[in-house]
Every structure is written in C-alpha cells, then in structure tokens.
Amino acid sequence: CPPSLGLLTVNALTAADAYIVTMTPDYLAVEGLVNLLEAVEKIKAGIGHVGELLGILLTLCDYRLNATREIIELIRGHYKEKVFRVEIPGNVRLKEAPSFGKDIFSYAPGSTGAEAYRLLTSEVLGRIK
C-alpha cells in the first residue's frame, strides 16, 4: 500500500489477516510509524477489525551512519519482538533490479539484498503459524 492512510490503505488493513510495516531507520519514519499504529487503533475501534501486525521491517539500513544504529536500537527497544530480526541493508543490487524489470532473486541471487529477503521470508513464515 502507499505510505498514506487513504481509502486503499484502510481497506487493505481491514481486509488483511496480517500486515507488515516497512520503514527506514530515520527519525521522520519513526514519527510515521507512531502515527500509523495510532491510526490502526482508531480504525480498529471504528470498524471493528484490522489485521494483526505481523512485524515491523527495517529497510534501507545504512550501518555507516550513527543515526541508523541509534534509531534501530530505539525501535527495537520500544517495539521489541514486533520488529523482525532481519534488517534489509541499503544495497545497490536492490536498487538496480527494478530498472531491469527483475526481482532481486532473478537479478542478483547472490547479493546481500537477496540473502536478506530470503531470511525475511523464513522469519515471516515462522510468524504466520
């Protein structure tokens, strides 16, 4: 869904059994996460059903930045087990794949980005039960 709380997102949240929130480890994204989770609670109170939060996925992680590590620590400290163990690093191959009309597994199956998504798939399947 688009990163907004329009009709499409609200419909998706109410129709889904579960959802994943993706976010970059940036300050503004933390504010967005808080706002989204508050909105989900309001939707749940008003409509009566919202899918379960399967997890929060940290993407485009640039570990060279101190701010990235600090924000990841903050998010993990506050949301604990709701945050996926796997983090998706910023990766050139992940950025290039769509321009070639391919997914990461077809474009660069040995890349760190592809490996991160393989690990995420295993973690998601483990949470689905």
Side-chain angles (χ1 to χ4, degrees), residues 56-94:
I56 298 167
L57 175 62
L58 296 162
T59 63
L60 295 173
C61 298
D62 185 350
Y63 303 108
R64 299 171 297 177
L65 305 175
N66 288 335
T68 297
R69 291 190 296 275
E70 290 169 5
I71 292 170
I72 289 172
E73 186 178 312
L74 173 92
I75 294 166
R76 289 192 177 283
H78 186 75
Y79 294 102
K80 306 202 181 315
E81 72 280 347
K82 292 191 186 293
V83 182
F84 286 105
R85 289 185 311 273
V86 175
E87 298 168 359
I88 308 300
N91 183 274
V92 173
R93 299 290 185 231
L94 285 171

Side-chain angles (χ1 to χ4, degrees), residues 1-127:
C1 293
S4 66
L5 278 172
L7 188 58
L8 177 65
T9 303
V10 171
N11 285 341
L13 286 168
T14 57
D17 293 325
Y19 64 97
I20 295 172
V21 175
T22 61
M23 66 174 291
T24 58
D26 299 306
Y27 177 73
L28 292 176
V30 173
E31 284 188 13
L33 174 65
V34 170
N35 292 337
L36 172 68
L37 296 178
E38 287 173 357
V40 166
E41 289 305 312
K42 289 178 184 176
I43 294 166
K44 189 183 294 184
I47 296 175
H49 171 76
V50 173
E52 173 192 355
L53 173 61
L54 193 60
I56 298 167
L57 175 62
L58 296 162
T59 63
L60 295 173
C61 298
D62 185 350
Y63 303 108
R64 299 171 297 177
L65 305 175
N66 288 335
T68 297
R69 291 190 296 275
E70 290 169 5
I71 292 170
I72 289 172
E73 186 178 312
L74 173 92
I75 294 166
R76 289 192 177 283
H78 186 75
Y79 294 102
K80 306 202 181 315
E81 72 280 347
K82 292 191 186 293
V83 182
F84 286 105
R85 289 185 311 273
V86 175
E87 298 168 359
I88 308 300
N91 183 274
V92 173
R93 299 290 185 231
L94 285 171
K95 288 184 179 189
E96 290 174 346
S99 67
F100 288 93
K102 296 184 176 184
D103 60 70
I104 191 61
F105 304 108
S106 301
Y107 180 69
S111 68
T112 56
E115 182 58 24
Y117 276 106
R118 275 190 204 90
L119 293 171
L120 174 65
T121 301
S122 296
E123 191 170 354
V124 166
L125 291 173
R127 288 186 183 202

